[in-house]
Amino acid sequence: LAKTTQPISMDSYEGQEVNITCSHNNIATNDYITWYQQFPSQGPRFIIQGYKTKVTNEVASLFIPADRKSSTLSLPRVSLSDTAVYYCLVGDINQGGKLIFGQGTELSVKP
Amino acid sequence: GAGVSQSPSNKVTEKGKDVELRCDPISGHTALYWYRQRLGQGLEFLIYFQGNSAPDKSGLPSDRFSAERTGESVSTLTIQRTQQEDSAVYLCASSLVLDTQYFGPGTRLTVL
C-alpha cells in the first residue's frame, strides 16, 4: 500500500479556495486516489476519487499530475462548515483491498 | 436505505473488564473494517473482513483484541481485559468492491 504524506494542519478564511496536497511517491499503476472528510464526532465521509488528470464533483476538485506522485484536493470558496480533517488515501480499488488512513490534514476555516 | 450502525454509542467500563462493540454494515456490502481513533489522532486500522476470505488482522494491537463477522452481516469487536489506553472511538465502515467506505457513527469507549 502506498504511503501518503499530508500537511498536519492548514488555516483559511471564508470564501477562499483551499488546496490540500498529498504526496504518494510509491503509488502503483493500479492505485486510485481517494479523499475523505471527517467532522468532529463523526465518521469519515467520502469526498472524491480519481486516477489521473482532473476530477470534479459538486463538492471538490481533484488534480493529479501525470506522474501521479501527488494529488491536490481543491475546495472552492470554503465556509466555516468546511472545518474538518481531510484524509488522502491510495489503494487498488480493483482488488477490493483495504485502504489505510494516514493522519490527515486538519483544516480550520475562520470568519 | 439505512447506513452503517454501531452500538452502543457510548461505553464506560472499568479497567480489566471485557467489552463487545457491534457493527451492522450496509446490506450487501462485502467488506467491513474496524478502526480506532484516539482523541485528536487519525484513524488506526484494526481489522478487515472481505467476503468469505480470512480476515486481515494485521492492525490488531494485541491479543486482547478480536473480531468476528457472521457471513456478510454483523460484526463484533471484542476487547478483553480493557486498559486505559484502549479508550478511543471505535469506528466501523463497510463497502462494496470499489472501496468507497461508509462509516458508522462510532462507539466511544472510556476505560476508567
Side-chain angles (χ1 to χ4, degrees):
Chain A
L1 294 171
K3 178 180 169 59
T4 61
T5 303
Q6 305 173 235
I8 294 175
S9 64
M10 294 182 68
D11 291 332
S12 182
Y13 292 93
E14 283 191 291
Q16 289 187 331
E17 177 184 81
V18 171
N19 296 307
I20 305 173
T21 297
C22 177
S23 297
H24 27 80
N25 291 320
N26 60 340
I27 188 170
T29 302
N30 293 330
D31 286 344
Y32 278 69
I33 300 157
T34 311
W35 286 79
Y36 284 80
Q37 174 191 55
Q38 185 179 25
F39 296 113
S41 301
Q42 295 184 28
R45 182 183 70 165
F46 172 87
I47 301 176
I48 196 166
Q49 183 178 75
Y51 183 81
K52 62 180 179 180
T53 63
K54 177 183 175 182
V55 179
T56 297
N57 62 21
E58 65 277 6
V59 175
S61 294
L62 179 59
F63 297 91
I64 306 168
D67 66 5
R68 304 202 324 122
K69 293 183 182 299
S70 67
S71 59
T72 299
L73 175 73
S74 181
L75 304 172
R77 299 178 297 282
V78 294
S79 63
L80 296 177
S81 62
D82 292 317
T83 293
V85 178
Y86 293 82
Y87 295 94
C88 165
L89 291 80
V90 176
D92 184 355
I93 67 170
N94 292 317
Q95 295 296 320
K98 64 183 181 183
L99 298 175
I100 304 297
F101 284 73
Q103 292 301 306
T105 297
E106 185 172 2
L107 173 66
S108 178
V109 180
K110 302 174 183 178
Chain B
V4 177
S5 61
Q6 293 185 246
S7 61
S9 55
N10 282 283
K11 177 70 175 180
V12 180
T13 191
E14 294 179 348
K15 178 181 175 181
K17 300 284 188 182
D18 297 352
V19 295
E20 282 192 354
L21 312 179
R22 178 187 170 105
C23 172
D24 285 274
I26 294 172
S27 178
H29 280 191
T30 57
L32 187 146
Y33 310 75
W34 282 98
Y35 297 89
R36 177 170 69 180
Q37 188 170 34
R38 293 194 168 106
L39 186 64
Q41 303 290 315
L43 277 75
E44 178 185 359
F45 166 78
L46 297 177
I47 189 168
Y48 162 63
F49 296 90
Q50 171 60 53
N52 295 319
S53 301
D56 181 343
K57 303 179 182 180
S58 60
L60 294 178
S62 76
D63 58 7
R64 295 188 296 105
F65 288 73
S66 63
E68 293 183 349
R69 186 181 186 193
T70 306
E72 294 184 355
S73 62
V74 64
S75 175
T76 302
L77 176 69
T78 301
I79 309 173
Q80 295 178 311
R81 304 181 302 282
T82 53
Q83 304 294 313
Q84 288 184 331
E85 62 262 28
D86 298 335
S87 295
V89 175
Y90 288 82
L91 289 158
C92 172
S94 71
S95 73
L96 292 170
V97 176
L98 293 181
D99 267 348
T100 299
Q101 296 184 31
Y102 294 87
F103 283 81
T107 294
R108 182 175 298 280
L109 176 65
T110 303
V111 182
L112 302 177

